[in-house]
Amino acid sequence: MTNPDVAQADDLLEALIAGTCPDAHGRFGEFGGCYVPETLMPAVTRLAEGVHHYLRDPDFRARLNDELEHWVGRPTALTHAPGLSALWGADVWLKREDLAHTGAHKINNTIGQALLAQALGAERIVAETGAGQHGVASAAACARIGLPCVVYMGAVDVARQALNVDRMRRLGAEVIAVESGDQTLRAAIDEAIRDWVSDPVATYYLLGSAIGPHPYPYLVRELQSVIGKEARAQIIARSGSLPDAAFACVGGGSNAIGLYHGFLGDRDVALFGIEAGGHGPALGEHSATLSAGKPGVLHGTYSVLLYDSDGQIQETHSVSAGLDYPGVGPEHALLRQIGRVDYRTATDDEALAALDECCAAEGILPALESAHALAGARRWASENPGTKILIGMSGRGDKDMPILAEHPVGSSTQSEDARNAAA
Ligand SMILES: *Cc1c(COP(=O)(O)O)cnc(C)c1O
């Protein structure tokens, strides 16, 4: 990985803003691309052509917008946060993807791809899921569109996430427990791809984040950009100007890339991505791919990932299952390289403290993933008093209650500090 000089970095940012990046090969600068077996090339090429056609098709866009408005519940609110503002000495605004149908931003992507699958003539949909949130959003979208849905889920995750497995089944999906490999998300993705290869015309693979081979990182970004577009218009209308900074949590990177795309051209808006710092910086103790990873290929794309000196993909850890992935979307690798987005981490403990604080101050229970964005913003606010801050609330925390039960309110050292500071 060579770092582009200032002029090159500026050209790449201009291309992202103008919509000419990724290029026709799905390259975000040196990142991205399409690393798939020969047998999958026709399916991927067909998908890229379909994406190119339908995302520009007025009838398709009208159908999608109708579903976003009347089924998903868009636009989602922009909520002023007076309690957090007072605690942090900042002006804090929350973009409420937690209010979207099924409780997170994931539905923006799944309804868009389900409609695309239907337009392309697919007869069934396969999806992968880790904690089950993407599986639930996929099952819901497929039920809505009327397409059968098969969700691959690692056997370990099936055991850990019984509630989401039941939700998927009630929404009509078939959930297949993957017993191979690490029996978690990585094995589930491998299995979904294997299914897709076996019948790439009738089967559509509904990928859950801005990762994977071209055209997925581009497709998912376009479908999630609605977050940033709405947020930009809303914050100007409500507060009279742009924020000083915007924060989003980064797992695969879909809610973050969607938020950033509202503001990439606003160079005075500092953009931050908050990754899962887990228990700390030791390898295996976190999922901070951009902060600690190296370039490499995973799941069909050249990006940044966590692997050891033997090239083995690392185990990851985060208290939030949705951030627990050893890779990240290629566009984020570029945004970090050209310096447009600053990627930082929040630990499990910081995220738990921020979650408690948001509950108490705003009456909003955020997802543990979103709590990382809150924690990153909170730290930045303490270094930049008086600033206006936009935070992407990627989802709601109801799904996290079993994990939160292990962390009673006030049990993290961080929240004691917060309480003392507020007292
Ligand atoms: C899945 C999930 C994430 C992480 O996915 P991204 O693709 O990085 O956005 C973040 N927040 C919530 C609530 C999620 O469900």
Side-chain angles (χ1 to χ4, degrees):
M1 187 167 63
T2 51
N3 275 328
D5 62 30
V6 174
Q8 278 174 318
D10 211 57
D11 286 349
L12 285 162
L13 179 56
E14 283 303 329
L16 280 172
I17 295 164
T20 54
C21 178
D23 65 17
H25 305 288
R27 289 277 174 192
F28 297 89
E30 68 186 284
F31 300 106
C34 185
Y35 297 84
V36 298
E38 209 54 43
T39 45
L40 254 189
M41 272 318 283
V44 170
T45 305
R46 194 166 157 270
L47 177 60
E49 288 165 5
V51 167
H52 187 80
H53 174 77
Y54 283 108
L55 288 188
R56 287 168 181 74
D57 177 50
D59 291 341
F60 182 83
R61 299 237 54 126
R63 180 93 207 275
L64 174 59
N65 288 338
D66 192 66
E67 291 298 324
L68 289 176
E69 182 177 348
H70 302 292
W71 186 70
V72 171
R74 304 207 72 88
T76 57
L78 179 77
T79 301
H80 187 234
L84 292 177
S85 296
L87 282 167
W88 297 357
D91 184 21
V92 182
W93 297 79
L94 309 172
K95 179 57 176 165
R96 304 287 307 282
E97 294 304 293
D98 58 307
L99 296 177
H101 181 44
T102 67
H105 68 290
K106 287 193 167 74
I107 201 76
N108 305 323
N109 174 44
T110 59
I111 188 64
Q113 287 201 53
L115 284 168
L116 179 65
Q118 188 185 46
L120 291 170
E123 289 158 23
R124 65 192 278 273
I125 284 183
V126 297
E128 83 295 337
T129 198
Q133 294 304 113
H134 175 59
V136 169
S138 296
C142 289
R144 174 74 178 170
I145 303 301
L147 279 171
C149 180
V150 174
V151 180
Y152 289 94
M153 188 170 186
V156 170
D157 290 331
V158 169
R160 280 198 291 222
Q161 306 284 344
L163 218 59
N164 273 338
V165 173
D166 194 37
R167 281 170 88 194
M168 285 182 258
R169 291 195 169 130
R170 275 176 203 282
L171 289 162
E174 180 188 352
V175 181
I176 299 181
V178 178
E179 309 277 353
S180 58
D182 64 357
Q183 304 196 2
T184 65
L185 178 60
R186 229 170 358 119
I189 295 179
D190 289 339
E191 217 46 48
I193 291 175
R194 208 161 292 155
D195 181 319
W196 187 29
V197 175
S198 71
D199 187 5
V201 175
T203 299
Y204 181 95
Y205 177 28
L206 206 175
L207 190 55
S209 189
I211 57 169
H214 181 65
Y216 286 107
Y218 167 73
L219 169 61
V220 176
R221 176 247 273 180
E222 290 299 295
L223 293 172
Q224 294 292 4
S225 296
V226 65
I227 303 172
K229 280 186 201 131
E230 286 178 5
R232 186 177 190 280
Q234 288 168 319
I235 201 160
I236 290 172
R238 297 278 303 289
S239 77
S241 60
L242 289 165
D244 296 300
F247 289 79
C249 63
V250 180
S254 68
N255 88 88
I257 207 71
L259 184 71
Y260 299 162
H261 264 265
F263 301 95
L264 277 185
D266 302 311
R267 294 178 192 225
D268 292 341
V269 179
L271 299 176
F272 294 90
I274 309 299
E275 299 190 293
H279 295 313
L283 213 55
E285 295 290 319
H286 61 82
S287 315
T289 311
L290 287 154
S291 307
K294 294 171 283 188
V297 172
L298 179 68
H299 296 135
T301 190
Y302 179 66
S303 184
V304 176
L305 29 139
L306 293 169
Y307 55 94
D308 64 18
S309 50
D310 296 329
Q312 292 294 313
I313 300 293
Q314 278 302 294
E315 293 291 309
T316 52
H317 163 78
S318 172
V319 70
S320 73
L323 301 184
D324 205 347
Y325 177 67
V328 69
E331 190 167 352
H332 289 288
L334 176 62
L335 286 169
R336 182 191 62 161
Q337 190 186 49
I338 65 176
R340 179 65 185 94
V341 180
D342 193 343
Y343 295 90
R344 302 180 175 188
T345 62
T347 62
D348 286 357
D349 217 35
E350 289 172 313
L352 286 160
L355 180 143
D356 283 347
E357 198 174 47
C358 185
C359 286
E362 302 298 340
I364 297 170
L365 169 60
L368 273 167
E369 291 84 356
S370 319
H372 287 73
L374 285 164
R378 176 182 196 256
R379 203 188 314 138
W380 192 80
S382 72
E383 297 154 3
N384 298 274
T387 46
K388 188 184 337 179
I389 300 175
L390 171 67
I391 302 169
M393 294 286 279
S394 54
R396 70 181 79 131
D398 306 51
K399 68 181 176 60
D400 294 318
M401 288 316 294
I403 292 164
L404 293 176
E406 297 163 22
H407 301 275
V409 177
S411 64
S412 73
T413 47
Q414 285 291 330
S415 56
E416 278 169 25
D417 291 348
R419 266 154 234 279
N420 293 340

Tab-separated table of all heavy atoms in Angstrom, residues 103-106 133 208-210 249-256 322-323 367 369-370 394-396 399, ligand 1:
chain	number	residue	atom	x	y	z
A	103	GLY	N	-35.732	-1.999	13.251
A	103	GLY	CA	-34.879	-1.468	14.302
A	103	GLY	C	-33.475	-1.027	13.958
A	103	GLY	O	-32.688	-0.748	14.867
A	104	ALA	N	-33.166	-0.930	12.675
A	104	ALA	CA	-31.822	-0.476	12.308
A	104	ALA	C	-31.782	-0.073	10.831
A	104	ALA	O	-32.748	-0.292	10.089
A	104	ALA	CB	-30.790	-1.565	12.583
A	105	HIS	N	-30.633	0.470	10.436
A	105	HIS	CA	-30.434	0.902	9.041
A	105	HIS	C	-30.434	-0.267	8.066
A	105	HIS	O	-30.582	-0.060	6.869
A	105	HIS	CB	-29.089	1.619	8.938
A	105	HIS	CG	-27.919	0.702	9.144
A	105	HIS	ND1	-27.616	0.151	10.374
A	105	HIS	CD2	-27.010	0.199	8.278
A	105	HIS	CE1	-26.563	-0.637	10.253
A	105	HIS	NE2	-26.181	-0.627	8.995
A	106	LYS	N	-30.254	-1.487	8.532
A	106	LYS	CA	-30.063	-2.629	7.630
A	106	LYS	C	-31.219	-2.790	6.640
A	106	LYS	O	-31.048	-3.266	5.536
A	106	LYS	CB	-29.875	-3.911	8.433
A	106	LYS	CG	-28.515	-3.965	9.103
A	106	LYS	CD	-28.218	-5.357	9.622
A	106	LYS	CE	-26.755	-5.496	10.011
A	106	LYS	NZ	-26.429	-4.794	11.268
A	133	GLN	N	-29.183	-9.828	12.803
A	133	GLN	CA	-29.904	-8.598	12.431
A	133	GLN	C	-30.104	-8.497	10.919
A	133	GLN	O	-31.179	-8.139	10.455
A	133	GLN	CB	-29.156	-7.367	12.947
A	133	GLN	CG	-29.108	-7.257	14.458
A	133	GLN	CD	-30.495	-7.271	15.078
A	133	GLN	OE1	-30.850	-8.214	15.783
A	133	GLN	NE2	-31.277	-6.263	14.798
A	208	GLY	N	-24.952	-8.178	3.298
A	208	GLY	CA	-25.435	-7.325	4.379
A	208	GLY	C	-24.669	-6.068	4.711
A	208	GLY	O	-25.118	-5.283	5.542
A	209	SER	N	-23.497	-5.840	4.093
A	209	SER	CA	-22.783	-4.599	4.416
A	209	SER	C	-22.039	-4.129	3.177
A	209	SER	O	-22.129	-4.762	2.118
A	209	SER	CB	-21.827	-4.809	5.593
A	209	SER	OG	-21.309	-3.560	6.029
A	210	ALA	N	-21.308	-3.024	3.319
A	210	ALA	CA	-20.636	-2.430	2.152
A	210	ALA	C	-19.316	-3.143	1.891
A	210	ALA	O	-18.261	-2.523	1.759
A	210	ALA	CB	-20.418	-0.944	2.395
A	249	CYS	N	-20.594	4.364	13.749
A	249	CYS	CA	-19.841	3.156	14.071
A	249	CYS	C	-19.537	2.403	12.774
A	249	CYS	O	-20.260	2.517	11.788
A	249	CYS	CB	-20.625	2.271	15.044
A	249	CYS	SG	-22.177	1.646	14.392
A	250	VAL	N	-18.445	1.633	12.793
A	250	VAL	CA	-18.013	0.908	11.597
A	250	VAL	C	-17.789	-0.561	11.922
A	250	VAL	O	-16.918	-0.918	12.716
A	250	VAL	CB	-16.700	1.498	11.034
A	250	VAL	CG1	-16.254	0.726	9.794
A	250	VAL	CG2	-16.862	2.973	10.704
A	251	GLY	N	-18.649	-1.412	11.315
A	251	GLY	CA	-18.400	-2.851	11.348
A	251	GLY	C	-17.897	-3.204	9.958
A	251	GLY	O	-16.721	-3.082	9.642
A	252	GLY	N	-18.825	-3.618	9.073
A	252	GLY	CA	-18.490	-3.723	7.654
A	252	GLY	C	-18.456	-2.348	7.019
A	252	GLY	O	-17.794	-2.115	6.023
A	253	GLY	N	-19.230	-1.437	7.609
A	253	GLY	CA	-19.151	-0.030	7.193
A	253	GLY	C	-20.345	0.513	6.435
A	253	GLY	O	-20.244	1.575	5.817
A	254	SER	N	-21.519	-0.154	6.496
A	254	SER	CA	-22.619	0.321	5.645
A	254	SER	C	-23.350	1.541	6.202
A	254	SER	O	-23.654	2.468	5.456
A	254	SER	CB	-23.602	-0.815	5.355
A	254	SER	OG	-24.312	-1.213	6.505
A	255	ASN	N	-23.650	1.571	7.518
A	255	ASN	CA	-24.346	2.767	8.012
A	255	ASN	C	-23.420	3.968	7.948
A	255	ASN	O	-23.850	5.081	7.622
A	255	ASN	CB	-24.929	2.525	9.415
A	255	ASN	CG	-23.980	2.819	10.552
A	255	ASN	OD1	-23.907	3.949	11.028
A	255	ASN	ND2	-23.222	1.817	10.985
A	256	ALA	N	-22.127	3.751	8.198
A	256	ALA	CA	-21.165	4.852	8.163
A	256	ALA	C	-21.028	5.414	6.751
A	256	ALA	O	-21.105	6.630	6.560
A	256	ALA	CB	-19.809	4.372	8.684
A	322	GLY	N	-22.620	-6.872	15.958
A	322	GLY	CA	-22.653	-6.266	14.626
A	322	GLY	C	-21.338	-5.636	14.204
A	322	GLY	O	-21.152	-5.303	13.034
A	323	LEU	N	-20.425	-5.428	15.133
A	323	LEU	CA	-19.121	-4.839	14.786
A	323	LEU	C	-18.025	-5.889	14.744
A	323	LEU	O	-16.871	-5.601	14.451
A	323	LEU	CB	-18.748	-3.743	15.792
A	323	LEU	CG	-19.712	-2.567	15.922
A	323	LEU	CD1	-19.151	-1.526	16.885
A	323	LEU	CD2	-20.013	-1.929	14.578
A	367	ALA	N	-28.512	0.737	20.081
A	367	ALA	CA	-27.826	-0.540	19.901
A	367	ALA	C	-26.405	-0.407	20.441
A	367	ALA	O	-25.831	0.682	20.444
A	367	ALA	CB	-27.781	-0.900	18.417
A	369	GLU	N	-23.808	-1.315	18.992
A	369	GLU	CA	-22.993	-0.818	17.882
A	369	GLU	C	-23.013	0.712	17.886
A	369	GLU	O	-21.971	1.371	17.891
A	369	GLU	CB	-23.536	-1.335	16.534
A	369	GLU	CG	-23.371	-2.823	16.298
A	369	GLU	CD	-24.492	-3.649	16.932
A	369	GLU	OE1	-25.361	-3.062	17.615
A	369	GLU	OE2	-24.486	-4.878	16.754
A	370	SER	N	-24.233	1.266	17.898
A	370	SER	CA	-24.392	2.726	17.855
A	370	SER	C	-23.736	3.382	19.065
A	370	SER	O	-23.270	4.523	18.976
A	370	SER	CB	-25.879	3.089	17.821
A	370	SER	OG	-26.597	2.227	16.971
A	394	SER	N	-27.343	3.995	14.471
A	394	SER	CA	-27.600	2.958	13.464
A	394	SER	C	-28.745	2.022	13.841
A	394	SER	O	-29.411	1.479	12.973
A	394	SER	CB	-26.323	2.153	13.232
A	394	SER	OG	-25.809	1.644	14.452
A	395	GLY	N	-29.007	1.831	15.152
A	395	GLY	CA	-30.087	0.918	15.516
A	395	GLY	C	-30.472	1.033	16.980
A	395	GLY	O	-29.841	1.749	17.761
A	396	ARG	N	-31.515	0.294	17.334
A	396	ARG	CA	-32.003	0.321	18.717
A	396	ARG	C	-31.464	-0.874	19.511
A	396	ARG	O	-31.091	-1.896	18.929
A	396	ARG	CB	-33.538	0.362	18.744
A	396	ARG	CG	-34.213	-0.911	18.297
A	396	ARG	CD	-35.740	-0.756	18.347
A	396	ARG	NE	-36.233	-0.023	17.181
A	396	ARG	CZ	-37.263	-0.426	16.418
A	396	ARG	NH1	-37.920	-1.529	16.719
A	396	ARG	NH2	-37.645	0.280	15.379
A	399	LYS	N	-32.496	-5.536	21.097
A	399	LYS	CA	-31.865	-6.826	20.782
A	399	LYS	C	-30.706	-7.142	21.723
A	399	LYS	O	-30.277	-8.284	21.823
A	399	LYS	CB	-31.340	-6.796	19.341
A	399	LYS	CG	-30.172	-5.819	19.179
A	399	LYS	CD	-29.633	-5.744	17.769
A	399	LYS	CE	-28.537	-4.701	17.641
A	399	LYS	NZ	-27.345	-4.894	18.480
B	1	LIG	C1	-25.195	-4.548	11.713
B	1	LIG	C2	-25.173	-3.305	12.489
B	1	LIG	C3	-24.079	-2.419	12.457
B	1	LIG	C4	-22.814	-2.715	11.715
B	1	LIG	O1	-22.929	-2.793	10.327
B	1	LIG	P1	-22.362	-1.693	9.344
B	1	LIG	O2	-22.418	-2.357	8.024
B	1	LIG	O3	-20.958	-1.369	9.774
B	1	LIG	O4	-23.235	-0.507	9.435
B	1	LIG	C5	-24.157	-1.236	13.159
B	1	LIG	N1	-25.242	-0.928	13.897
B	1	LIG	C6	-26.307	-1.752	13.972
B	1	LIG	C7	-27.467	-1.359	14.798
B	1	LIG	C8	-26.311	-2.957	13.273
B	1	LIG	O5	-27.376	-3.761	13.363
